[in-house]
């Protein structure tokens, strides 16, 4: 039975609890027995254009229930749209494969672009409207107890709260009828229409903008009576202060992106981000809204936004190609071209990410060959915490790690070209000195530890170390660590046996390595699942992680001692290192201000 049919067939609280994966008593406790004051945490955040926005964040237990409800309703929406011949391309928020980019692309290269906002979007969707929708909408028509319970789960103080996981999908369901009203109005007037949450846009290339939508007045533009009545009759209010008409020749923006010729980030925003990044990488701080900041994470969020806007448009174009072979070829060409001829934003973003990870990490950073080694080492460090005090701290009953592990992610794969494996580590080590030299501001408070298996895969790395760092290292050498340059160190797994080869799996007891998963045996040489065998990822996730409390990690003692030795060695080196010049630590206000002012058009 489909999710929608199951929901329509539900008639009692118990039925809905089963659909959401809850015991009826647990659902009742959350909805009815938890005091209203214990369901949400309320706070205000600053709006970009001034003022504040109230956020009602559900407590974890309620949030979990709302997330289950949201997943169920999204699945219902998917089933509804798949059953209809024409899919909804009007709303671009809170939906897979839709974004501010797809919303803006609908209004590219137009003579007129009209933007307006709905006032108090979520609060206007109150308990009665939510309940009434699920009772009367032709796709749902739920039983009265089910519609009432959904509204009780979703609403706070009688309205949809901003901060709930289910508010976005419910708002999409409730505003679809508004989209249908407005797109018909737009069609009759030869205009394009889209909505992104509470942000509505009309655009056209006609010589005169339709009076039904907006008319020019002495103060600028006023919404047409027909458009205004359609919105107000649907139970929404218009935020008059955010209504604006943008004509060709001016900077036209839709959901924050310029749409004059192509969808892009406003040039002023990009220049400001570039200036702030340059200031941070040169001096250690930057000015944002007149306030000096040192947050790498905030700046990273800005660059990530710009980078994804520009790069994702290529991905959208590629995904539109229906021929699989041609799409694969285009993707391969794109990757090769991107690496060979990186864009300006890619270069800036790369430098900041390199700085965050390798020049100014918050803790000693360990770079392993893949995603499984950190699982082993984190478990070993926690179990052997008392013997390795440099690697852990205790807070109450919690054991906190004093080291961080490099996370292989989409960002690391795309920007740093680090996907895991000795080949990528070779690439990283080969370019280390050149890249580090590009950074004027180099805090380097913590060491960077490259941890490799002492096996045949390391031989190419040994060649790089000999050529780039003057280090003669081989399988038979077994020093605790090798200091390469600045904060950069190499640690090998301790040698074993006549051939000296070793890897982290060698330090587990034999009975742990013999653990079967679904009747299969562990083969560390298998990267992927194979008949009768499983590989490292399953070993880490289904054996080591769940059984960490009972596994003997004493075999990892020598390796953890090597990591501690690096931390101690670097601490001694930095204690005798002369402090950097003052200008390299804190910018003068005038210098930072010039950087920001220069970015403004």
């Amino acid at each position: 039975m489909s999710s929608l049919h199951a929901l329509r067939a539900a008639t009692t609280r118990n039925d809905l609890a089963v659909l959401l994966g809850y015991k009826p008593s647990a659902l009742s406790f959350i909805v009815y027995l938890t005091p209203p004051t214990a369901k949400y945490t309320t706070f205000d955040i600053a709006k970009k254009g001034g003022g504040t926005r109230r956020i009602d964040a559900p407590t974890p237990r309620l949030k979990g229930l709302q997330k289950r409800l949201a997943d169920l309703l999204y699945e219902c929406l998917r089933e509804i749209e798949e059953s209809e011949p024409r899919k909804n391309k009007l709303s671009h928020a809170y939906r897979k494969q839709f974004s501010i980019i797809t919303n803006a692309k609908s209004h590219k290269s137009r003579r007129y672009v009209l933007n307006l906002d709905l006032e108090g979007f979520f609060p206007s969707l109150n308990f009665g409207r939510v309940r009434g929708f699920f009772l009367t909408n032709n796709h749902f028509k739920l039983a009265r107890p089910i519609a009432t319970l959904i509204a009780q789960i979703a609403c706070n103080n009688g309205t949809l709260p901003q901060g709930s996981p289910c508010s976005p999908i419910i708002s999409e369901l409730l505003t679809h009828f508004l989209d249908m009203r407005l797109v018909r109005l737009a069609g009759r007037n030869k205009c394009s229409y889209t909505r992104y949450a509470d942000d509505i846009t009309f655009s056209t290339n006609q010589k005169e903008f339709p009076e039904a939508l907006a008319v020019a007045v002495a103060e600028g533009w006023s919404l047409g009576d027909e458009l205004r009545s359609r919105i107000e009759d649907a139970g929404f209010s218009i935020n008059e202060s955010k209504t604006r008409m943008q004509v060709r020749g001016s900077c036209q923006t839709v959901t924050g992106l310029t749409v004059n010729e192509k969808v892009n980030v406003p040039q002023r925003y990009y220049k400001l981000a570039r200036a702030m990044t340059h200031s941070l990488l040169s001096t250690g701080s930057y000015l944002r809204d007149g306030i000096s900041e040192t947050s790498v994470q905030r700046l990273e969020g800005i660059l990530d936004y710009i980078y994804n806007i520009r790069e994702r448009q290529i991905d959208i174009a590629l995904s539109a190609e229906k021929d699989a072979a041609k799409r694969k070829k285009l993707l391969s060409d794109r990757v090769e071209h991107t690496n060979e001829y990186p864009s300006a934003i890619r270069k800036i973003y790369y430098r900041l990410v390199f700085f965050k990870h390798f020049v100014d990490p918050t803790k000693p950073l360990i770079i392993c060959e893949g995603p499984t080694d950190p699982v082993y080492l984190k478990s070993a460090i926690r179990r052997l915490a008392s013997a390795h005090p440099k690697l852990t701290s205790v807070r109450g009953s919690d054991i906190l790690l004093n080291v961080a592990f490099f996370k292989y992610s989409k960002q690391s794969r795309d920007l740093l070209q680090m996907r895991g494996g000795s080949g990528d580590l070779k690439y990283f080590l080969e370019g280390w000195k050149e890249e580090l030299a590009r950074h004027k501001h180099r805090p380097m408070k913590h060491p960077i530890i490259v941890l490799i298996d002492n096996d045949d895969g390391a031989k190419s790395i040994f060649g790089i170390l000999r050529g780039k760092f003057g280090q003669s290292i081989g399988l038979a050498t077994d020093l605790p660590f090798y200091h390469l340059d600045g904060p950069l160190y190499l640690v090998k797994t301790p040698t074993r046996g006549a051939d000296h080869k070793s890897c982290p799996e060698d330090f587990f007891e034999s009975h742990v390595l013999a653990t079967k998963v679904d009747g299969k045996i562990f083969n560390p040489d298998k990267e992927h699942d194979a008949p009768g065998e499983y590989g490292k990822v399953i070993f880490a996730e289904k054996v080591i992680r769940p059984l960490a409390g009972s596994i003997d990690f004493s075999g990892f003692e020598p390796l953890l001692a090597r990591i501690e030795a690096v931390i101690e060695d670097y601490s001694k080196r930095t204690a005798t290192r002369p402090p950097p010049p003052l200008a390299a630590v804190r910018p003068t206000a005038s210098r930072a201000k010039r950087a920001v002012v220069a970015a403004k058009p």
Side-chain angles (χ1 to χ4, degrees):
M1 184 183 294
S2 73
S3 295
L4 181 58
H5 288 160
L7 184 59
R8 294 186 65 168
T11 58
T12 67
R13 183 192 314 166
N14 290 5
D15 293 338
L16 184 59
V18 171
L19 282 176
L20 298 177
Y22 275 78
K23 292 181 178 180
S25 59
L27 187 148
S28 296
F29 179 83
I30 296 171
V31 177
Y32 301 114
L33 300 181
T34 303
T37 54
K39 289 183 177 181
Y40 291 88
T41 300
T42 301
F43 55 92
D44 293 329
I45 61 173
K47 290 184 179 180
K48 184 177 179 181
T52 60
R53 176 180 285 110
R54 172 176 165 164
I55 302 296
D56 292 321
T59 52
R61 187 174 291 174
L62 176 59
K63 184 176 181 180
L65 176 60
Q66 291 176 337
K67 178 65 168 60
R68 295 281 183 90
L69 175 59
D71 291 343
L72 175 64
L73 294 178
Y74 269 117
E75 180 59 23
C76 292
L77 178 60
R78 185 191 66 78
E79 292 174 7
I80 291 169
E81 293 188 342
E82 282 191 351
S83 67
E84 296 179 344
R86 296 183 64 182
K87 294 190 178 179
N88 182 5
K89 296 182 180 179
L90 306 177
S91 173
H92 293 253
Y94 317 128
R95 293 167 173 264
K96 291 181 179 180
Q97 299 180 344
F98 288 87
S99 66
I100 60 172
I101 300 173
T102 59
N103 185 61
K105 284 175 75 73
S106 303
H107 306 284
K108 185 178 66 173
S109 302
R110 300 297 171 90
R111 185 187 297 270
Y112 296 97
V113 177
L114 173 67
N115 296 113
L116 62 111
D117 272 28
L118 301 178
E119 183 98 56
F121 182 56
F122 281 149
S124 67
L125 301 172
N126 58 37
F127 183 96
R129 294 180 71 172
V130 173
R131 180 175 178 272
F133 170 84
F134 287 109
L135 282 173
T136 61
N137 179 265
N138 287 332
H139 290 296
F140 287 91
K141 290 191 174 180
L142 303 184
R144 190 172 299 275
I146 303 301
T148 302
L149 183 53
I150 287 176
Q152 289 170 330
I153 295 171
C155 293
N156 180 40
N157 293 327
T159 65
L160 284 184
Q162 182 121 7
S164 163
C166 58
S167 291
I169 175 59
I170 292 178
S171 72
E172 285 298 288
L173 292 170
L174 267 65
T175 50
H176 179 64
F177 83 102
L178 174 65
D179 291 333
M180 300 310 298
R181 287 185 175 189
L182 296 186
V183 76
R184 284 194 288 266
L185 177 61
R188 287 206 312 271
N189 289 278
K190 298 180 180 180
C191 290
S192 298
Y193 165 83
T194 64
R195 179 179 58 82
Y196 190 91
D198 59 351
D199 192 333
I200 290 174
T201 305
F202 294 88
S203 66
T204 185
N205 273 325
Q206 297 178 86
K207 289 185 178 180
E208 302 293 335
F209 196 80
E211 292 186 359
L213 302 180
V215 293
V217 295
E219 300 79 16
W221 288 79
S222 177
L223 294 183
D225 292 339
E226 191 171 357
L227 172 58
R228 186 181 295 277
S229 67
R230 292 294 176 91
I231 294 173
E232 292 176 350
D233 289 348
F236 294 96
S237 300
I238 299 166
N239 187 339
E240 304 289 352
S241 65
K242 289 191 175 181
T243 298
R244 65 189 189 282
M245 177 69 78
Q246 302 166 101
V247 298
R248 181 176 292 162
S250 64
C251 180
Q252 296 174 316
T253 62
V254 175
T255 47
L257 303 176
T258 59
V259 293
N260 293 71
E261 296 179 4
K262 63 179 182 179
V263 176
N264 207 345
V265 176
Q267 190 67 5
R268 188 176 104 177
Y269 186 78
Y270 166 72
K271 287 182 176 180
L272 182 58
R274 183 181 63 187
M276 291 191 296
T277 304
H278 176 75
S279 179
L280 176 75
L281 298 181
S282 300
T283 67
S285 69
Y286 56 92
L287 284 181
R288 184 174 181 271
D289 297 330
I291 300 173
S292 180
E293 290 200 24
T294 59
S295 171
V296 177
Q297 288 73 23
R298 186 186 296 275
L299 197 51
E300 182 184 11
I302 294 172
L303 294 184
D304 184 71
Y305 168 75
I306 298 172
Y307 179 75
N308 279 294
I309 291 298
R310 297 190 173 185
E311 294 293 316
R312 193 174 171 197
Q313 290 186 71
I314 303 175
D315 293 334
I316 292 172
L318 286 174
S319 64
E321 175 56 56
K322 296 181 179 179
D323 187 285
K326 187 175 181 180
R327 184 169 63 248
K328 184 176 180 181
K329 176 65 167 58
L330 289 171
L331 179 60
S332 176
D333 291 345
R334 178 215 167 181
V335 171
E336 182 177 351
H337 184 273
T338 298
N339 294 335
E340 190 70 23
Y341 306 101
S343 62
I345 182 59
R346 183 181 177 87
K347 291 178 183 178
I348 295 170
Y349 193 17
Y350 167 82
R351 289 192 63 202
L352 183 74
V353 171
F354 186 95
F355 175 85
K356 180 187 77 169
H357 287 301
F358 310 125
V359 183
D360 191 28
T362 58
K363 298 177 181 179
L365 180 69
I366 302 172
I367 308 175
C368 301
E369 289 191 32
T372 57
D373 293 349
V375 177
Y376 309 155
L377 290 170
K378 288 178 183 179
S379 299
I381 290 171
R382 289 191 172 97
R383 287 298 305 279
L384 305 173
S386 60
H388 300 281
K390 285 186 172 60
L391 304 182
T392 60
S393 299
V394 177
R395 181 184 298 168
S397 60
D398 296 327
I399 298 176
L400 308 179
L401 298 185
N402 290 341
V403 294
F405 290 86
F406 182 77
K407 183 178 181 180
Y408 290 100
S409 62
K410 183 179 183 298
Q411 184 191 72
S412 73
R413 294 192 300 270
D414 186 22
L415 288 175
L416 301 175
Q417 299 296 293
M418 294 178 70
R419 297 164 290 271
S422 57
D424 286 347
L425 291 181
K426 173 187 171 183
Y427 171 83
F428 169 74
L429 293 167
E430 192 172 26
W432 167 265
K433 287 189 176 181
E434 180 182 354
E435 184 55 42
L436 185 64
R438 291 195 179 104
H439 289 78
K440 294 180 182 179
H441 176 62
R442 296 195 289 265
M444 300 188 300
K445 297 175 183 176
H446 303 289
I448 309 298
I449 306 168
V450 177
L451 176 60
I452 63 172
D453 298 356
N454 194 48
D455 58 15
D456 290 337
K459 291 180 179 178
S460 61
I461 292 178
F462 296 154
I464 290 295
L465 299 179
R466 190 162 40 251
K468 290 286 185 178
F469 301 96
Q471 295 270 9
S472 295
I473 306 174
L475 293 177
T477 61
D478 200 34
L479 293 178
F481 61 81
Y482 302 86
H483 179 245
L484 304 180
D485 176 70
L488 188 63
Y489 288 78
L490 180 84
V491 169
K492 300 192 305 168
T493 52
T495 59
R496 290 168 60 93
D499 62 0
H500 310 294
K501 295 180 181 179
S502 66
C503 66
E505 288 79 14
D506 293 333
F507 308 126
F508 289 108
E509 292 182 305
S510 58
H511 73 88
V512 176
L513 297 173
T515 304
K516 290 186 177 182
V517 175
D518 297 330
K520 300 177 182 180
I521 60 173
F522 175 46
N523 182 350
D525 295 326
K526 289 286 183 184
E527 293 186 5
H528 304 286
D529 206 8
E533 297 177 336
Y534 65 89
K536 292 182 178 181
V537 173
I538 292 178
F539 180 67
E541 295 299 330
K542 293 192 175 182
V543 178
I544 302 305
R545 197 186 292 276
L547 301 177
S550 59
I551 292 175
D552 181 2
F553 286 96
S554 59
F556 283 81
E557 286 276 8
L559 184 54
L560 300 188
R562 293 185 172 195
I563 296 172
E564 272 198 318
V566 169
I567 295 172
E568 186 174 353
D569 180 79
Y570 192 64
S571 178
K572 292 177 181 177
R573 290 175 185 271
T574 54
T576 59
R577 187 176 68 188
L582 183 61
V585 177
R586 182 183 298 276
T588 62
S590 58
R591 180 177 180 182
K593 186 175 182 180
R594 284 199 302 273
V596 175
V597 171
K600 295 182 178 180

